[in-house]
Amino acid sequence: MAEPTPNLEDLDFSDVTPDDFAALVKQSSAAQLDELMRGELRQRVLAEIFSRMGRQFRPDNAGSLRAVIRWEVTGRAGEPLAVYDATIADGTCRVTPGPTDATPRVTLALSDADFLRLVSGNASPVLMFMTRKLKATGDIALASGLARLFDIPRNRN
């Protein structure tokens, strides 16, 4: 028997491991994910995910890569566009909320729920791109190799 989905609004996301987060996203309905991504809670979830991006970065796979990856996460009606720039340089990944003055090498745009599925390993970036749930502009080759640059939980059906 599957365990019930916890009340996502009550979670302290800083205490949730990437694998636990992946499991939570997997067992959450679209309606639950939509509810999670509203108002202040949406800001907390996005801030936690993007703050972890630097820690999940795999510099051994980046080599001498220097690039700005712009993330545009579209909210439901009434929610603002959330923009984060991930700057990869010198073996590090630094994420900044809001667009920086740097020109992004690739921009990735997707909805809140699709973003959660992508970063939790519960969706295929290739399938998302082909079905237009993930829009990439700029260096598509860079976009196609981003998964290898980060420790992303693997979907464990």
Side-chain angles (χ1 to χ4, degrees):
M1 180 156 95
E3 289 187 32
T5 303
N7 185 353
L8 297 174
E9 293 180 24
D10 295 335
L11 285 176
D12 177 357
F13 286 96
S14 64
D15 290 338
V16 177
T17 69
D19 285 338
D20 289 343
F21 181 72
L24 284 170
V25 170
K26 183 177 182 174
Q27 68 188 32
S28 296
S29 68
Q32 287 171 314
L33 293 177
D34 282 343
E35 191 60 34
L36 173 68
M37 298 304 279
R38 289 178 179 241
E40 187 271 331
L41 186 57
R42 177 180 187 251
Q43 294 170 16
R44 280 185 20 222
V45 170
L46 290 173
E48 184 61 34
I49 290 169
F50 282 107
S51 74
R52 291 181 183 200
M53 201 170 274
R55 294 189 306 266
Q56 300 295 113
F57 181 64
R58 299 180 66 193
D60 51 317
N61 288 347
S64 61
L65 177 65
R66 297 182 69 81
V68 173
I69 296 121
R70 179 160 295 155
W71 293 86
E72 295 180 347
V73 184
T74 59
R76 292 172 34 141
E79 295 294 340
L81 175 69
V83 178
Y84 288 81
D85 278 0
T87 302
I88 297 173
D90 303 320
T92 65
C93 177
R94 184 178 44 83
V95 179
T96 307
T100 62
D101 291 336
T103 301
R105 196 153 136 196
V106 65
T107 299
L108 305 170
L110 63 172
S111 72
D112 284 331
D114 288 331
F115 173 74
L116 294 178
R117 289 182 185 106
L118 178 69
V119 300
S120 66
N122 284 295
S124 161
V126 173
L127 184 58
M128 290 179 82
F129 179 75
M130 294 182 72
T131 59
R132 308 229 0 106
K133 290 181 178 183
L134 168 64
K135 295 172 184 70
T137 55
D139 187 342
I140 303 303
L142 173 61
S144 70
L146 284 179
R148 69 181 179 77
L149 298 179
F150 297 92
D151 284 326
I152 299 171
R154 300 291 174 231
N155 187 347
R156 295 175 176 86
N157 294 3

